[in-house]
Amino acid sequence: MLFSYLLVSGITTGALYALIALGIVIVNKASGVINFAHGELLMVAGFVAWTLHVGLQLPYGVALLGTVAIGFAVGVLTDRIAFRPLANADLVSLVLATVGLSFILKGTARLIWGGKADYLSFPPLTQAEPILLGPLMIIPQQLVVTAGALAVMIAFAAFFRLTTAGKMMQATADNAKAAKLVGIRTDRVYMMAFAVGSLIAAAAAVLMAPLTLLYPDMGFLLFVKGFAAAVVGGLTSLPGAVLGGILVGVVESLAGGYIHSSAMEVAPFLVIMAVLIVRPTGLLDFAKVRRV
Amino acid sequence: MLAVQHLKVAYGPTEVLRDVSFDVPEGKIVALLGGNGSGKTTVLNALTGLVRPRAGSVRLKGEECAGKRPDEIIRAGIAQVPQGRDVWPSMTVAENLELGAVTRRDRAAIAEDLEAVYDLFPQLREKRKRRAGSLSGGEQQMVAIGRALMTRPRCLLMDEPSAGLAPAVVGDMVDAVLELNRRNLTILIVEQNVGVAAAVAEYAHVLQNGEIAVSGPADGLLDDPAVLRSYLGR
Ligand SMILES: Nc1ncnc2c1ncn2[C@@H]1O[C@H](COP(=O)(O)OP(=O)(O)O)[C@@H](O)[C@H]1O
Ligand SMILES: [Mg+2]
């Protein structure tokens, strides 16, 4: 019983880590940059969702759509303000810009939503009783969150596979010079990648909000989990990010249940180490595996 | 068709093209030759806007292209098949070709052009659902050419299309270039393989020390042992 409970809740948090990892991977694929502000984008989106849902009393679904739209806009803005001016700078400057951005977002959140020690709580999605499915105990709220995460992943995959914008992003990630040579505005593609990454962070935040407390410093820990998942998946593979997220979530949950709650903090690093020892380029980074 | 005048390109302090001028007449195939590192790729990249020229002019049918963005130049009608092909390996052949038309809105004409590419390279039609990265070098070259054709260029720039191809396939490549020219496409081709250049080009320009050192009809030029020896290291 304990195992199945830990497994199911591990999959739920894992699905959320997978979303965080997807956002990190999409930015990295397009631009080569690890966005260290990704966790803060998520944190800000959590507060925005809180304002819409708790503050303005909008229904959860509306708050979700609104937050996702705002997340997209924040992504576009930060690209314009923080990254576009650095278009010809080296990678290190870009990464430092993301670190700077993370501080700015954190400061802004403190200004708007309160002091350092303020924790805001989000109402639960549903009060429904746990369902027993044979040996599995399913908590309805976890089911809703997992389904929501899955829906976001499917929409995301469809965007990449089916839309011209998605294909332009894929082409730019594959070979940016060739993308320029057919007339793709790669500067816009980078902006798009950043905005879509931020949008996904927002979706993850709204899904996660009912399961956790919101506070301005929550971003970094979430970034670490998502980054671990992304590294495990190979840093440029979208399916790898999903797999990595679930793996990190489940290992963390099992470690918390069987060892000690403090073990949850180290779980992501153990997963990274274990995977990198077996497959130094990550689980699903086919391109790099072949190149070696 | 294409008039290049006093083109100057530098990477930081190193000036690679000092003063390059040449013409590509409409409907012709013109070869641009030169030793390794003489700046041939740089010329093509300046013509397509991948690098910004320091000075000079590039006119396509009178329209100034120097200093414009690649997407503007592509809309004006110049396309480049890059050295080393640079297909998008994780995408299918069909996706590679379709994205070639990303600047266009004329759906019916795009569909026609796609058919024309498949007619020119029937192997690509068979393999259109395959990932481009899984194709042979010759097939990837076809994808790269087809993708450039999908921009519907008036002038096609080809950077060493025969490099790295099996000798048996080089002949096919020559035939494809000649066929494109027969369909009225103006072509500027960069080649290390003097045999390929001689087989397709009507005129040739030889680049050395950042300038066009010799020019002339390809026949005379590429048969001249003195030219081969002093400029092309043969
Ligand atoms: N992006 C770049 N940055 C700095 N130098 C470059 C760059 N591209 C080419 N070069 C230099 O410019 C010269 C010409 O290169 P290139 O145009 O590729 O010659 P080619 O195509 O004739 O072999 C070479 O010396 C090369 O090292
Ligand atoms: Mg070259």
Side-chain angles (χ1 to χ4, degrees):
Chain A
M1 200 59 174
L2 176 63
F3 178 77
S4 70
Y5 169 77
L6 292 173
L7 184 67
V8 170
S9 65
I11 288 173
T12 303
T13 35
L16 294 170
Y17 293 164
L19 288 186
I20 303 174
L22 279 178
I24 293 171
V25 165
I26 186 176
V27 170
N28 181 54
K29 248 171 96 88
S31 65
V33 170
I34 297 296
N35 178 12
F36 281 94
H38 196 72
E40 276 68 33
L41 287 169
L42 197 124
M43 173 273 296
V44 167
F47 281 115
V48 168
W50 182 88
T51 299
L52 295 179
H53 185 50
V54 180
L56 301 177
Q57 298 284 312
L58 294 172
Y60 181 77
V62 177
L64 185 127
L65 290 179
T67 306
V68 162
I70 290 172
F72 187 84
V74 168
V76 170
L77 270 180
T78 47
D79 177 75
R80 281 280 155 114
I81 297 167
F83 299 126
R84 188 73 67 85
L86 295 173
N88 296 316
D90 55 294
L91 226 50
V92 177
S93 319
L94 279 168
V95 171
L96 285 179
T98 73
V99 175
L101 177 64
S102 75
F103 282 102
I104 292 170
L105 290 173
K106 232 186 295 189
T108 310
R110 284 206 189 103
L111 274 178
I112 302 178
W113 288 285
K116 200 178 168 198
D118 283 8
Y119 291 77
L120 297 180
S121 73
F122 207 87
L125 276 182
T126 149
Q127 306 275 17
E129 291 292 307
I131 308 162
L132 282 176
L133 262 184
L136 283 184
M137 179 167 68
I138 311 267
I139 299 172
Q141 169 150 302
Q142 289 186 345
L143 198 65
V144 174
V145 168
T146 312
L150 201 65
V152 173
M153 287 175 211
I154 290 168
F156 191 64
F159 167 74
F160 260 97
R161 289 277 167 82
L162 305 177
T163 69
T164 302
K167 287 181 184 179
M168 282 161 66
M169 289 173 78
Q170 180 68 46
T172 305
D174 266 17
N175 189 316
K177 179 175 107 196
K180 285 188 186 139
L181 280 179
V182 298
I184 293 172
R185 301 277 308 266
T186 50
D187 52 344
R188 295 203 179 147
V189 168
Y190 298 142
M191 178 181 81
M192 184 66 129
F194 201 73
V196 170
S198 173
L199 175 152
I200 279 216
V206 185
L207 290 170
M208 182 177 295
L211 305 177
T212 180
L213 291 169
L214 302 171
Y215 54 102
D217 285 322
M218 70 189 285
F220 185 69
L221 205 59
L222 292 172
F223 168 79
V224 168
K225 304 288 170 62
F227 184 58
V231 170
V232 164
L235 262 183
T236 54
S237 160
L238 301 175
V242 173
L243 204 65
I246 307 272
L247 196 61
V248 170
V250 167
V251 169
E252 179 185 271
S253 172
L254 295 178
Y258 286 115
I259 305 170
H260 189 261
S261 62
S262 62
M264 294 173 78
E265 308 290 312
V266 289
F269 301 104
L270 292 180
V271 174
I272 290 187
M273 275 165 59
V275 167
L276 294 189
I277 287 168
V278 185
R279 274 178 81 96
T281 55
L283 286 178
L284 288 186
D285 197 352
F286 294 114
K288 290 219 178 98
V289 170
R290 210 184 312 116
R291 218 178 293 142
V292 168
Chain B
M1 165 73 74
L2 188 68
V4 179
Q5 281 175 342
H6 307 301
L7 192 67
K8 184 194 273 239
V9 174
Y11 297 109
T14 35
E15 206 166 67
V16 176
L17 305 180
R18 290 192 298 142
D19 185 357
V20 172
S21 303
F22 64 93
D23 283 336
V24 183
E26 179 150 13
K28 304 290 186 204
I29 303 181
V30 171
L32 180 63
L33 308 170
N36 236 331
S38 60
K40 306 179 295 295
T41 298
T42 301
V43 170
L44 299 195
N45 286 348
L47 298 189
T48 33
L50 286 184
V51 299
R52 236 187 145 77
R54 291 271 162 103
S57 109
V58 176
R59 288 219 170 79
L60 182 74
K61 287 213 153 185
E63 185 183 346
E64 183 58 65
C65 290
K68 289 197 174 160
R69 293 192 312 260
D71 59 300
E72 295 170 325
I73 294 175
I74 284 147
R75 283 197 180 88
I78 301 179
Q80 186 192 150
V81 183
Q83 188 169 9
R85 318 190 233 294
D86 288 333
V87 298
W88 296 304
S90 77
M91 304 177 81
T92 67
V93 169
E95 285 172 326
N96 268 269
L97 296 176
E98 282 156 10
L99 267 188
V102 79
T103 53
R104 299 169 57 188
R105 294 288 168 270
D106 46 342
R107 284 168 163 268
I110 292 173
E112 271 171 32
D113 288 351
L114 186 61
E115 281 309 303
V117 169
Y118 285 144
D119 289 342
L120 183 65
F121 302 121
Q123 282 124 294
L124 296 189
R125 193 196 303 274
E126 282 162 39
K127 298 188 173 171
R128 63 185 181 280
K129 300 239 168 72
R130 292 262 300 270
R131 277 164 28 102
S134 71
L135 304 187
S136 71
E139 289 164 341
Q140 291 193 18
Q141 187 62 265
M142 293 174 199
V143 172
I145 294 172
R147 183 177 62 187
L149 292 175
M150 291 301 290
T151 66
R152 201 171 250 209
R154 296 196 275 184
C155 180
L156 184 67
L157 318 179
M158 306 179 87
D159 201 348
E160 305 202 16
S162 77
L165 295 189
V169 199
V170 171
D172 295 345
M173 193 50 59
V174 167
D175 290 343
V177 172
L178 290 172
E179 173 59 26
L180 288 173
N181 182 239
R182 220 170 289 131
R183 296 179 187 183
N184 256 331
L185 192 61
T186 305
I187 296 173
L188 174 65
I189 183 170
V190 163
E191 263 301 340
Q192 285 281 342
N193 184 331
V194 177
V196 169
V200 298
E202 211 161 319
Y203 297 100
H205 303 287
V206 180
L207 196 58
Q208 195 184 42
N209 297 328
E211 293 176 352
I212 301 292
V214 260
S215 304
D219 286 346
L221 204 66
L222 302 176
D223 293 340
D224 185 341
V227 169
L228 294 182
R229 200 170 337 103
S230 47
Y231 300 112
L232 304 170
R234 309 281 144 134

